[in-house]
Amino acid sequence: MTAKNLLLAPVYLYQGRKVKRDTVRLPEPDGDRHGLLKLHSENSDGVTAANLQTLSLMVVGDSAAAGVGSETQQQALAGNLIPALQQQPAIHSQFNEISWSLQATTGYTSFDILRRLYVLTTPSQPVDVMVLSVGVNDTTTNVSTVKWQQQLEDIIAIAQRKFGVRILIFVSLPPMAKMPALPAPLNNFIGAKATSLDQVLQHVCAQHDTVHYMATDFERMAQEHNKKHGNGDPIDAATMFASDGFHPSSITYSYWAQQLAELIVPLLHQTPEKSVQCLKS
């Protein structure tokens, strides 16, 4: 900790307690957490189920993965990601259906996610794509970068060994310094910690061929939002974040899911399939 942060430590402590006390506690949205979406009818375009495979997708992680900030799961990350994938022609040409599940809980740290993956039942078929949202709670609980890196490596190991994950995508940590719920100077302190963990996350992902880091493109998100709504005003915090000033809004989830879908499609084309035999509990 720098000398400046040591001097400001009492302020951080006071502000942190106040944020914890005053911030609205939003619930995890109701809605389906697993499903099977058929992409083709039996006779559509001459394509039959026997010729195509099932795309297996898991969304895993913390409250952002769980969709906190949206009113329903349909408006959350997973609920937006499934139709975003469904709209991709390449998905229709490769797959007959999408089998998806959501394994996420508010407050989860990297350790909690690792523990969740350990206790989940080993799937009968390899998971094609696993999307992971993690890091905000590691930031707020001040997990060390060494522990963070080790737990990321452990998550990757069990995802590949137990779930046979073909493509593992970690989404970047959010811009925590911009969260309306965090007052200055606490926001800058938390933001710097989040940036530090995000840099470690990028480094870890770069060490693995089938593990990918997705930097959420908030600039593009703003441009698309302005284009859609026909004004030149920049996207503001009230639009980007939910009513608690901490979690993503439904609008953010929709753009976030679109960016994920556009990343997943080419990765599926590039990455070899895994056999069922690779799964080990």
Side-chain angles (χ1 to χ4, degrees), residues 16-43:
R17 288 174 175 171
K18 190 173 188 300
V19 167
K20 187 174 183 179
R21 183 191 69 209
D22 297 343
T23 299
V24 177
R25 297 290 190 273
L26 297 178
E28 294 182 9
D30 293 331
D32 294 337
R33 290 192 171 223
H34 60 87
L36 183 67
L37 175 66
K38 294 285 185 180
L39 299 175
H40 301 277
S41 62
E42 290 186 3
N43 298 314

CSV table of all heavy atoms in Angstrom, one decimal, residues 16-43:
chain,number,residue,atom,x,y,z
A,16,GLY,N,-16.2,2.7,3.0
A,16,GLY,CA,-16.6,1.3,2.7
A,16,GLY,C,-17.7,0.8,3.6
A,16,GLY,O,-18.7,0.2,3.1
A,17,ARG,N,-17.7,1.2,4.9
A,17,ARG,CA,-18.8,0.8,5.8
A,17,ARG,C,-20.1,1.5,5.4
A,17,ARG,O,-21.1,0.9,5.5
A,17,ARG,CB,-18.4,1.1,7.2
A,17,ARG,CG,-17.3,0.2,7.8
A,17,ARG,CD,-16.9,0.7,9.2
A,17,ARG,NE,-15.9,-0.3,9.8
A,17,ARG,CZ,-15.3,0.0,10.9
A,17,ARG,NH1,-15.4,1.2,11.5
A,17,ARG,NH2,-14.4,-0.9,11.4
A,18,LYS,N,-20.0,2.7,5.0
A,18,LYS,CA,-21.2,3.5,4.6
A,18,LYS,C,-21.8,2.9,3.3
A,18,LYS,O,-23.0,2.8,3.2
A,18,LYS,CB,-20.8,5.0,4.4
A,18,LYS,CG,-22.0,5.9,4.2
A,18,LYS,CD,-21.6,7.3,4.2
A,18,LYS,CE,-22.8,8.3,4.2
A,18,LYS,NZ,-23.7,8.1,3.1
A,19,VAL,N,-20.9,2.6,2.4
A,19,VAL,CA,-21.4,2.0,1.1
A,19,VAL,C,-22.1,0.6,1.4
A,19,VAL,O,-23.2,0.4,0.9
A,19,VAL,CB,-20.3,1.7,0.1
A,19,VAL,CG1,-20.8,0.8,-1.0
A,19,VAL,CG2,-19.8,3.1,-0.4
A,20,LYS,N,-21.5,-0.2,2.3
A,20,LYS,CA,-22.1,-1.5,2.6
A,20,LYS,C,-23.4,-1.3,3.3
A,20,LYS,O,-24.4,-2.1,3.1
A,20,LYS,CB,-21.1,-2.2,3.5
A,20,LYS,CG,-21.6,-3.7,3.8
A,20,LYS,CD,-20.5,-4.4,4.6
A,20,LYS,CE,-20.9,-5.9,4.8
A,20,LYS,NZ,-19.8,-6.6,5.5
A,21,ARG,N,-23.5,-0.2,4.2
A,21,ARG,CA,-24.8,0.0,4.9
A,21,ARG,C,-25.9,0.6,4.0
A,21,ARG,O,-27.1,0.2,4.2
A,21,ARG,CB,-24.5,1.0,6.1
A,21,ARG,CG,-25.7,1.3,7.0
A,21,ARG,CD,-25.3,2.4,7.9
A,21,ARG,NE,-25.2,3.7,7.2
A,21,ARG,CZ,-24.5,4.7,7.6
A,21,ARG,NH1,-23.7,4.6,8.6
A,21,ARG,NH2,-24.4,5.8,6.9
A,22,ASP,N,-25.5,1.5,3.1
A,22,ASP,CA,-26.5,2.3,2.4
A,22,ASP,C,-26.9,1.7,1.0
A,22,ASP,O,-28.0,2.1,0.5
A,22,ASP,CB,-26.0,3.7,2.3
A,22,ASP,CG,-25.8,4.4,3.6
A,22,ASP,OD1,-26.4,3.9,4.6
A,22,ASP,OD2,-25.2,5.5,3.6
A,23,THR,N,-26.0,0.9,0.4
A,23,THR,CA,-26.3,0.5,-0.9
A,23,THR,C,-27.5,-0.5,-1.0
A,23,THR,O,-27.6,-1.4,-0.1
A,23,THR,CB,-25.1,-0.2,-1.5
A,23,THR,OG1,-24.0,0.7,-1.6
A,23,THR,CG2,-25.4,-0.7,-2.9
A,24,VAL,N,-28.4,-0.2,-1.9
A,24,VAL,CA,-29.6,-1.1,-2.1
A,24,VAL,C,-29.1,-2.5,-2.4
A,24,VAL,O,-28.3,-2.7,-3.3
A,24,VAL,CB,-30.4,-0.5,-3.2
A,24,VAL,CG1,-31.6,-1.4,-3.5
A,24,VAL,CG2,-30.9,0.9,-2.9
A,25,ARG,N,-29.8,-3.5,-1.8
A,25,ARG,CA,-29.5,-4.9,-2.1
A,25,ARG,C,-30.4,-5.4,-3.1
A,25,ARG,O,-31.6,-5.7,-2.8
A,25,ARG,CB,-29.6,-5.7,-0.8
A,25,ARG,CG,-28.6,-5.3,0.3
A,25,ARG,CD,-27.1,-5.7,-0.1
A,25,ARG,NE,-26.2,-5.6,1.1
A,25,ARG,CZ,-25.6,-4.5,1.4
A,25,ARG,NH1,-25.8,-3.4,0.7
A,25,ARG,NH2,-24.8,-4.4,2.5
A,26,LEU,N,-30.0,-5.5,-4.3
A,26,LEU,CA,-30.8,-6.0,-5.4
A,26,LEU,C,-30.8,-7.5,-5.4
A,26,LEU,O,-29.8,-8.2,-5.2
A,26,LEU,CB,-30.4,-5.5,-6.7
A,26,LEU,CG,-30.4,-4.0,-6.9
A,26,LEU,CD1,-29.9,-3.6,-8.3
A,26,LEU,CD2,-31.9,-3.5,-6.8
A,27,PRO,N,-32.0,-8.2,-5.6
A,27,PRO,CA,-32.0,-9.6,-5.6
A,27,PRO,C,-31.6,-10.2,-7.0
A,27,PRO,O,-31.5,-9.5,-8.0
A,27,PRO,CB,-33.5,-9.9,-5.4
A,27,PRO,CG,-34.2,-8.8,-6.1
A,27,PRO,CD,-33.3,-7.6,-5.8
A,28,GLU,N,-31.2,-11.5,-6.9
A,28,GLU,CA,-31.0,-12.2,-8.2
A,28,GLU,C,-32.3,-12.3,-8.9
A,28,GLU,O,-33.3,-12.7,-8.3
A,28,GLU,CB,-30.4,-13.6,-7.9
A,28,GLU,CG,-29.0,-13.5,-7.3
A,28,GLU,CD,-28.3,-14.9,-7.1
A,28,GLU,OE1,-28.9,-15.9,-7.6
A,28,GLU,OE2,-27.3,-14.9,-6.5
A,29,PRO,N,-32.4,-12.1,-10.2
A,29,PRO,CA,-33.7,-12.1,-10.9
A,29,PRO,C,-34.2,-13.5,-11.0
A,29,PRO,O,-33.5,-14.5,-11.1
A,29,PRO,CB,-33.3,-11.5,-12.3
A,29,PRO,CG,-31.9,-11.8,-12.5
A,29,PRO,CD,-31.3,-11.7,-11.1
A,30,ASP,N,-35.6,-13.5,-11.1
A,30,ASP,CA,-36.3,-14.8,-11.3
A,30,ASP,C,-36.2,-15.2,-12.8
A,30,ASP,O,-36.0,-14.3,-13.6
A,30,ASP,CB,-37.7,-14.7,-10.9
A,30,ASP,CG,-37.9,-14.5,-9.4
A,30,ASP,OD1,-37.1,-15.0,-8.6
A,30,ASP,OD2,-38.9,-13.8,-9.0
A,31,GLY,N,-36.3,-16.5,-13.0
A,31,GLY,CA,-36.3,-17.0,-14.4
A,31,GLY,C,-35.5,-18.3,-14.5
A,31,GLY,O,-34.9,-18.7,-13.6
A,32,ASP,N,-35.6,-18.8,-15.7
A,32,ASP,CA,-34.9,-20.1,-15.9
A,32,ASP,C,-33.4,-20.0,-15.8
A,32,ASP,O,-32.8,-19.0,-16.2
A,32,ASP,CB,-35.2,-20.6,-17.3
A,32,ASP,CG,-36.7,-21.0,-17.5
A,32,ASP,OD1,-37.3,-21.3,-16.4
A,32,ASP,OD2,-37.2,-21.0,-18.6
A,33,ARG,N,-32.8,-21.0,-15.3
A,33,ARG,CA,-31.3,-21.1,-15.2
A,33,ARG,C,-30.7,-22.2,-16.0
A,33,ARG,O,-29.6,-22.5,-15.9
A,33,ARG,CB,-30.9,-21.2,-13.7
A,33,ARG,CG,-31.2,-19.9,-12.9
A,33,ARG,CD,-30.5,-19.8,-11.6
A,33,ARG,NE,-30.6,-18.5,-11.0
A,33,ARG,CZ,-29.6,-17.9,-10.4
A,33,ARG,NH1,-28.4,-18.5,-10.3
A,33,ARG,NH2,-29.8,-16.7,-9.9
A,34,HIS,N,-31.5,-22.9,-16.7
A,34,HIS,CA,-31.1,-23.9,-17.7
A,34,HIS,C,-32.1,-24.0,-18.7
A,34,HIS,O,-33.3,-23.7,-18.5
A,34,HIS,CB,-30.8,-25.2,-17.0
A,34,HIS,CG,-32.0,-25.8,-16.3
A,34,HIS,ND1,-32.9,-26.6,-16.9
A,34,HIS,CD2,-32.4,-25.7,-15.0
A,34,HIS,CE1,-33.8,-27.0,-16.1
A,34,HIS,NE2,-33.6,-26.4,-14.9
A,35,GLY,N,-31.7,-24.6,-19.9
A,35,GLY,CA,-32.7,-24.8,-20.9
A,35,GLY,C,-32.1,-25.4,-22.2
A,35,GLY,O,-30.9,-25.6,-22.3
A,36,LEU,N,-33.0,-25.8,-23.1
A,36,LEU,CA,-32.6,-26.4,-24.3
A,36,LEU,C,-33.3,-25.7,-25.4
A,36,LEU,O,-34.6,-25.7,-25.5
A,36,LEU,CB,-32.9,-27.9,-24.3
A,36,LEU,CG,-32.5,-28.7,-25.6
A,36,LEU,CD1,-31.0,-28.7,-25.7
A,36,LEU,CD2,-33.1,-30.1,-25.6
A,37,LEU,N,-32.6,-25.0,-26.3
A,37,LEU,CA,-33.2,-24.2,-27.4
A,37,LEU,C,-33.0,-24.9,-28.7
A,37,LEU,O,-31.8,-25.1,-29.1
A,37,LEU,CB,-32.6,-22.8,-27.4
A,37,LEU,CG,-33.1,-21.9,-28.6
A,37,LEU,CD1,-34.5,-21.6,-28.5
A,37,LEU,CD2,-32.2,-20.7,-28.6
A,38,LYS,N,-34.1,-25.3,-29.4
A,38,LYS,CA,-34.0,-26.0,-30.7
A,38,LYS,C,-33.7,-24.9,-31.8
A,38,LYS,O,-34.4,-23.8,-31.8
A,38,LYS,CB,-35.2,-26.7,-31.1
A,38,LYS,CG,-35.5,-27.9,-30.2
A,38,LYS,CD,-34.6,-29.1,-30.5
A,38,LYS,CE,-35.0,-30.3,-29.8
A,38,LYS,NZ,-34.1,-31.5,-30.1
A,39,LEU,N,-32.7,-25.1,-32.6
A,39,LEU,CA,-32.4,-24.1,-33.7
A,39,LEU,C,-33.0,-24.4,-35.0
A,39,LEU,O,-33.1,-23.6,-35.9
A,39,LEU,CB,-30.9,-24.0,-33.8
A,39,LEU,CG,-30.1,-23.6,-32.6
A,39,LEU,CD1,-28.6,-23.7,-32.9
A,39,LEU,CD2,-30.5,-22.2,-32.2
A,40,HIS,N,-33.4,-25.7,-35.2
A,40,HIS,CA,-34.0,-26.1,-36.5
A,40,HIS,C,-35.2,-27.0,-36.2
A,40,HIS,O,-35.3,-27.8,-35.2
A,40,HIS,CB,-33.0,-27.0,-37.3
A,40,HIS,CG,-31.7,-26.3,-37.6
A,40,HIS,ND1,-31.6,-25.4,-38.6
A,40,HIS,CD2,-30.5,-26.3,-36.9
A,40,HIS,CE1,-30.3,-25.0,-38.7
A,40,HIS,NE2,-29.7,-25.5,-37.6
A,41,SER,N,-36.2,-26.9,-37.1
A,41,SER,CA,-37.3,-27.8,-37.1
A,41,SER,C,-36.8,-29.0,-37.9
A,41,SER,O,-35.8,-29.0,-38.5
A,41,SER,CB,-38.5,-27.3,-37.8
A,41,SER,OG,-38.3,-26.9,-39.1
A,42,GLU,N,-37.5,-30.2,-37.8
A,42,GLU,CA,-37.0,-31.4,-38.4
A,42,GLU,C,-36.8,-31.3,-39.9
A,42,GLU,O,-35.9,-31.9,-40.4
A,42,GLU,CB,-38.0,-32.5,-38.1
A,42,GLU,CG,-38.0,-32.9,-36.6
A,42,GLU,CD,-38.9,-34.1,-36.4
A,42,GLU,OE1,-39.4,-34.7,-37.4
A,42,GLU,OE2,-39.0,-34.5,-35.3
A,43,ASN,N,-37.6,-30.4,-40.6
A,43,ASN,CA,-37.4,-30.4,-42.0
A,43,ASN,C,-37.0,-29.0,-42.5
A,43,ASN,O,-37.1,-28.7,-43.7
A,43,ASN,CB,-38.8,-30.7,-42.7
A,43,ASN,CG,-39.2,-32.1,-42.3
A,43,ASN,OD1,-38.4,-33.0,-42.4
A,43,ASN,ND2,-40.5,-32.3,-41.9
